[in-house]
Amino acid sequence: ASSALQAAFRPPLAACVRSNSNRAAISHLHRQLYGRLYPVLLVSTDGSTVRLRYSEPKRILMLPLDSSTLPEAERKARLRRHFPSKPKAKEEETFEGIDLDTYKKFWKK
């Protein structure tokens, strides 16, 4: 009988979790400022990498590519990849060129 009483008065497992500033959400820590610096891999535009300490816990930072330094052909190719053209409208099929006698066997009598 005493074990049943202890089980009845035991708080649920979710109540044991501390809710303070160090509690992490499912996706990331919801903070404006972090108390330390974190090791991060910085990738520059030419592909070289540098390890540095960053204020947010991330794995990789990539520097944006400056399109004004690219040759004209490569810059246009990048723009085409980023903004593909709209798909062209297809022509509707007409039934004028179809011989109906070839499909006569599928009709119900």
Side-chain angles (χ1 to χ4, degrees):
S2 64
S3 64
L5 283 174
Q6 286 177 350
F9 289 103
R10 188 176 308 152
L13 291 175
C16 297
V17 176
R18 293 182 185 168
S19 295
N20 59 17
S21 65
N22 296 325
R23 182 178 58 91
I26 292 174
S27 58
H28 64 281
L29 294 175
H30 294 284
R31 294 185 190 168
Q32 296 296 322
L33 297 173
Y34 292 89
R36 59 185 283 254
L37 296 176
Y38 298 88
V40 172
L41 187 69
L42 178 71
V43 180
S44 65
T45 55
D46 62 349
S48 61
T49 59
V50 178
R51 290 213 169 262
L52 54 91
R53 316 238 345 126
Y54 193 65
S55 60
E56 293 183 19
K58 296 185 177 189
R59 291 188 179 185
I60 295 177
L61 284 177
M62 294 182 71
L63 292 176
L65 183 65
D66 187 15
S67 61
S68 63
T69 60
L70 293 176
E72 188 68 23
E74 190 174 340
R75 187 174 64 80
K76 285 185 178 180
R78 281 182 153 277
L79 283 173
R80 264 187 260 116
R81 272 181 291 177
H82 279 279
F83 305 105
S85 61
K86 295 179 183 176
K88 297 178 182 177
K90 295 180 181 178
E91 295 181 12
E92 292 186 18
E93 294 182 15
T94 59
F95 297 107
E96 294 172 359
I98 296 176
D99 185 20
L100 295 178
D101 291 334
T102 57
Y103 299 101
K104 202 175 218 178
K105 60 185 174 187
F106 298 114
W107 296 343
K108 291 185 178 178
K109 292 183 180 182

